[in-house]
Amino acid sequence: MSNGVEGNEERRRAADAAGPEPQGVPEPRPGGPDAAAEPEPATLVKAGTADRTEAGAGAKADEAPTGHADAAAPDASGTPADVPPDSPDAPDAPETPDVPDAESDGIRYERLPDAPPPILDGVRAKPPAPPGLATLVAAAVTAVLSGLLLGDGLAVNALILALPLAAAAWFAARQAGRRPRRSSLCWGAGGLALLAVPVWSDAEWPTLLAVLAAAGLGALALHGSRKWSGVLLAPLGLVLVVRRALVWGWRGVRERTAGGGKDVGPMLRSVLVAVVLLVVFGGLFAAADQAFADLLGSLVPDVDGGSGVPWRLFLAVLGTATALAVAHTAAAPTRWDGLGPGPGRARGRVEWALPLVLLDLLFAAFVAVQAAVLLRGEDVVRSSNGLTYSEYAREGFWQLLFATVLTLAVISVAVRFAPRSGPRDQLLVRAVLGTLCLLTLVVVASAVRRMDLYMGEYGLTRLRLSVVAMELWLGVVVLLILAAGVFGARLLPRAVLASAAVAVLAFGLASPDKLIAESNLDAHRDGRTLDLAYLSGLSADAVPALDRLDEPLRSCALRSIAVPGAPWYASSLSQARAHEILTARPVRNHPCRDILTDDIHPSVR
């Protein structure tokens, strides 16, 4: 700063020597003509402006009155201008603040990168208000029914439990100001229809499949998804929301028990008193009359039964978590459709079409070879490679099933990267993928035909029937893809899911174990062997068919089929029918070891 002051002093001396200018003399400041000009306070700026600060100080000094050379102009530090800075009379200079380097842009602070937001922040809704009394009551009813009814198996109780779950979702959605769409109501009705399978059938594998499908449709009804990402991730949303739903439910309980107009405390006390009265007087009446005791025993679950109290408590907790998760999702659903990937980068026509055209040619060659087998049958199979029907079917079915699934994956990837610059590209995509879908349908027909030959030779089993049903459903999916190419793919995800739900419902109501038993018995009458050991491991669905066997085959087949005397809420219609048959015609005590371990030929009686 001293260099700037000395330069100002030299310019003032030169101006005094030249004499006063006739014009442009500044007016004196208040305080008299002899008053020293007060400098403008220097402003500290960031780096890159230090030189401008010194120049500004010099410019302010030039504005001082030029007719008063003896006036001492202090610099910015308060030191008179006529006192040299290195003089012993000069006061100590104050400490100057640190100024950034003139060549820099100022003081830099390194900013750490922000952590990426959680993947679900963009699709999650705002937390809903604490649940209302109706929602909490529906969740409590679900918990009680889960602990009482689920410990003995799945049948009518699955349909019973669905009702308070649906009520909890309805009340929570209405409280949040959400109205269900027609599509959500349709998905919910479909889920309830699927729960008719455990009511009808006793077999565990169709029952489990139907319950899982019903849960998937319920999740779709709650989330309202329409895209592939939403359809696939909606069931996962019910699992991810459990922790937040429990906290949400606890807040609702605390709010309702804190007093006020909606205080639930009196109701809880009333319910507790009612339960105590019913238990006391119900026990007294049951001890007084055996008929009344039998009636209560058939209606009220046996808590001390085989499942045990800890298991029922766990089921009650599971029912509570499920009800709160369903209600929370109905009030604030996660929009899974927002996670779907966007369209892929469109490829050129040749780059996109060349691999698919070659794949179409390969499919066409395979279909040409299969046409002879599909049309002419057994003679072509045996004359071409010396294989029997069963060997030919077993050799290629699984490969064709995997080829069908892989073809669907290829189509999904091809649609994502298809060229889409104009009508010609659209025509090209439809022609190439449409041809591939049509050829895939022939592959599906070939696979089903192979398994039909195999089952005609050896009869039906659970695995064979399941894979045939799976292959037929894949054929339906291919047809839906063809329809989407003509009418648009907007409804394709929901159409595929609806077809899967219908397939599961039809498969369960058809009673697969009953079909297996009837098919094997018909083959046995036509001279085929009878795998009695396998048939004896079926469920109660097969009892009406196996009841037509002659003794001792009938008793040996039915002896191993368990038809437990489950309560009414855990008994299916098939179990009730089997119980009636076995009660009317009890199983006889025959030695069955050799009969069950050996294949039974038609001559054996």
Side-chain angles (χ1 to χ4, degrees):
M1 300 295 289
S2 60
N3 294 332
V5 174
E6 293 176 356
N8 295 338
E9 181 64 23
E10 292 176 358
R11 285 192 290 273
R12 282 196 296 271
R13 292 175 181 175
D16 293 340
E21 296 181 1
Q23 296 179 353
V25 180
E27 299 179 357
R29 295 179 180 269
D34 297 335
E38 295 181 3
E40 294 288 337
T43 304
L44 180 62
V45 297
K46 291 186 178 180
T49 60
D51 51 352
R52 293 194 298 270
T53 303
E54 295 181 359
K60 293 297 181 180
D62 291 340
E63 296 177 0
T66 57
H68 306 280
D70 296 338
D75 59 7
S77 61
T79 305
D82 54 352
V83 180
D86 53 354
S87 173
D89 297 333
D92 296 335
E95 295 182 1
T96 57
D98 295 334
V99 180
D101 187 7
E103 298 180 357
S104 66
D105 294 334
I107 301 176
R108 293 181 178 271
Y109 298 93
E110 182 178 1
R111 181 181 178 84
L112 296 177
D114 295 334
I119 190 172
L120 298 182
D121 282 356
V123 296
R124 275 179 176 168
K126 295 181 179 179
L133 180 60
T135 304
L136 293 176
V137 171
V141 172
T142 305
V144 173
L145 293 179
S146 299
L148 294 178
L149 304 182
L150 286 183
D152 300 301
L154 287 177
V156 187
N157 48 12
L159 191 58
I160 294 175
L161 282 173
L163 299 179
L165 283 176
W170 177 269
F171 292 136
R174 292 297 295 268
Q175 180 186 354
R178 301 184 65 249
R179 294 184 177 274
R181 300 176 180 175
R182 293 181 180 178
S183 59
S184 297
L185 295 177
C186 292
W187 292 127
L192 292 177
L194 283 169
L195 293 180
V197 173
V199 177
W200 175 261
S201 176
D202 178 58
E204 295 181 355
W205 52 301
T207 296
L208 180 61
L209 188 61
V211 171
L212 293 178
L217 291 188
L220 189 62
L222 293 172
H223 290 91
S225 302
R226 298 184 178 184
K227 298 182 180 179
W228 282 113
S229 57
V231 170
L232 297 177
L233 295 177
L236 181 62
L238 292 177
V239 179
L240 297 178
V241 82
V242 169
R243 183 183 64 84
R244 291 186 291 130
L246 291 175
V247 176
W248 176 67
W250 176 245
R251 290 176 180 173
V253 172
R254 287 195 309 175
E255 182 175 308
R256 295 301 178 268
T257 56
K262 296 183 179 180
D263 188 4
V264 77
M267 178 174 291
L268 293 178
R269 291 191 294 268
S270 177
V271 171
L272 180 60
V273 172
V275 169
V276 172
L277 293 177
L278 291 177
V279 170
V280 172
F281 285 95
L284 291 175
F285 291 151
D289 186 80
Q290 184 61 35
F292 187 77
D294 295 338
L295 177 62
L296 288 182
S298 61
L299 296 178
V300 180
D302 185 10
V303 180
D304 296 331
S307 58
V309 175
W311 172 243
R312 292 186 182 272
L313 290 178
F314 171 76
L315 293 175
V317 174
L318 181 62
T320 303
T322 303
L324 291 177
V326 167
H328 187 282
T329 304
T334 302
R335 301 301 181 186
W336 294 108
D337 288 347
L339 294 181
R345 185 172 64 88
R347 306 293 177 175
R349 296 177 183 175
V350 176
E351 179 186 2
W352 179 86
L354 180 61
L356 296 175
V357 170
L358 294 178
L359 184 61
D360 286 344
L361 295 177
L362 178 62
F363 269 64
F366 178 79
V367 167
V369 175
Q370 294 300 300
V373 178
L374 292 174
L375 297 177
R376 297 177 58 186
E378 183 177 5
D379 296 336
V380 176
V381 175
R382 292 180 175 175
S383 62
S384 60
N385 47 24
L387 299 177
T388 64
Y389 259 7
S390 60
E391 293 171 341
Y392 180 75
R394 185 173 61 249
E395 183 183 72
F397 172 79
W398 295 105
Q399 290 85 345
L400 294 182
L401 177 63
F402 182 74
T404 305
V405 177
L406 189 59
T407 302
L408 295 178
V410 170
I411 292 174
S412 64
V413 175
V415 170
R416 177 174 169 78
F417 296 99
R420 43 184 177 270
S421 60
R424 292 185 178 181
D425 289 340
Q426 186 177 9
L427 180 61
L428 174 66
V429 171
R430 289 183 175 180
V432 174
L433 295 184
T435 302
L436 183 59
C437 289
L438 291 175
L439 295 174
T440 304
L441 288 177
V442 181
V443 173
V444 171
S446 176
V448 173
R449 178 60 175 163
R450 287 170 182 258
M451 186 52 64
D452 180 62
L453 299 176
Y454 189 42
M455 292 186 299
E457 184 73 19
Y458 290 100
L460 286 178
T461 63
R462 290 177 171 177
L463 179 61
R464 297 165 192 169
L465 188 60
S466 300
V467 294
V468 168
M470 180 69 178
E471 185 71 25
L472 290 174
W473 175 69
L474 291 177
V476 173
V477 173
V478 175
L479 290 175
L480 292 175
I481 293 175
L482 280 172
V486 177
F487 302 104
R490 186 175 62 89
L491 299 177
L492 181 61
R494 288 178 287 177
V496 172
L497 183 64
S499 67
V502 172
V504 171
L505 180 62
F507 187 73
L509 296 181
S511 296
D513 283 4
K514 181 181 179 180
L515 295 178
I516 292 170
E518 291 177 347
S519 174
N520 281 272
L521 264 63
D522 293 341
H524 179 62
R525 295 188 185 95
D526 295 338
R528 306 290 177 89
T529 59
L530 183 66
D531 190 355
L532 198 62
Y534 182 82
L535 296 178
S536 64
L538 299 177
S539 64
D541 298 343
V543 170
L546 298 178
D547 184 60
R548 299 197 299 265
L549 287 172
D550 297 332
E551 293 291 351
L553 299 181
R554 174 187 176 275
S555 296
C556 292
L558 295 177
R559 181 175 301 173
S560 301
I561 296 179
V563 185
W568 64 271
Y569 52 82
S571 297
S572 63
L573 296 178
S574 295
Q575 284 182 332
R577 176 60 177 164
H579 185 72
E580 292 178 0
I581 293 174
L582 296 179
T583 302
R585 297 179 58 191
V587 175
R588 299 178 184 179
N589 188 13
H590 292 292
C592 299
R593 180 175 181 181
D594 295 337
I595 296 177
L596 292 177
T597 55
D598 297 333
D599 290 338
I600 307 301
H601 295 274
S603 59
V604 178
R605 290 291 184 269

